[in-house]
Every structure is written in structure tokens, then in C-alpha cells.
Amino acid sequence: MVPPAERVFAWIEYRAQRRVVPPVGFLIGQRAWARINHNRWIADCPCGSAQVVSPADPRMACTECGYGWVELVFPEDVAAVEASIEAALPHLRNWVHPDDPVPWPLAAKPRQGVAS
């Protein structure tokens, strides 16, 4: 029984044949924003990598740069967010937290006169 956030490390070891050890403890005062990208919950690391995440285990650590465990910010009603995008095709199921300070292209409003 591996917690969801630690499964990423097990997957990297198994599939990439690369030894990675999950960090110990949290980075105090740091957090990441969970978002839906192509029908999966992910969170981005400051190094530019991203990890698959789960509302069942709201933390993330980076298998690429070693960035330690950080708290994840999910929406208050995860089920409602997931339901709001379920009618779209999987590659169009994207959602960004409205309070996320990073200006993701997915969250950008289309410019007038520009097709989206």
C-alpha cells in the first residue's frame, strides 16, 4: 500500500529504471497548485517538470530535481470541477485553479478577433 504521492517515485524506478528516493519532510511555506491537464490532475515543479497528483494525497515532490514535499492546493469541491469538464473530449479536459498565480495558457482568456 503505497500512498498516491509516493507512487510517482515507484513508477519512475520501475519504468525508467532510475533509483529515486522520496524526500523526508515538507518544504515549509511552499505549495503548488493542482490543475487538470488532459483529464489528469497534475502539479508543476519550479524546475519545469510536472507530476501526476491526486486529491487523495495532496502533496507533491519532484522526481527530476529533488524538490521536496510541498502542499498541494486543490479546489474546495474536486468532484464539481471534474464534473464541469466531463462532457469534453479527454484532450480538452483542462482546468486551472482561479487563484493559481502562474498565468497558464489554459487559463488565458481568448483575445478578441483571435480564434481559440
Side-chain angles (χ1 to χ4, degrees):
M1 296 298 295
V2 178
E6 295 174 25
R7 289 181 193 160
V8 173
F9 289 86
W11 187 91
I12 290 291
E13 282 195 8
Y14 178 71
R15 301 296 280 178
Q17 296 294 300
R18 191 174 60 132
R19 178 81 172 131
V20 288
V21 178
V24 177
F26 274 78
L27 296 173
I28 298 171
Q30 300 298 310
R31 63 184 180 170
W33 299 83
R35 62 187 172 98
I36 298 176
N37 174 258
H38 296 207
N39 203 40
R40 64 196 168 182
W41 284 102
I42 66 168
D44 298 288
C45 178
C47 78
S49 180
Q51 303 296 328
V52 173
V53 297
S54 170
D57 189 357
R59 60 189 173 130
M60 169 200 123
C62 187
T63 59
E64 294 296 319
C65 72
Y67 193 64
W69 293 116
V70 294
E71 170 191 7
L72 289 175
V73 178
F74 279 89
E76 287 184 31
D77 191 348
V78 170
V81 168
E82 291 173 347
S84 74
I85 62 170
E86 72 183 357
L89 294 171
H91 71 284
L92 298 174
R93 292 180 189 157
N94 299 302
W95 178 86
V96 178
H97 198 291
D99 296 333
D100 188 341
V102 179
W104 291 103
L106 297 173
K109 295 178 183 172
R111 291 179 288 164
Q112 202 168 26
V114 177
S116 44

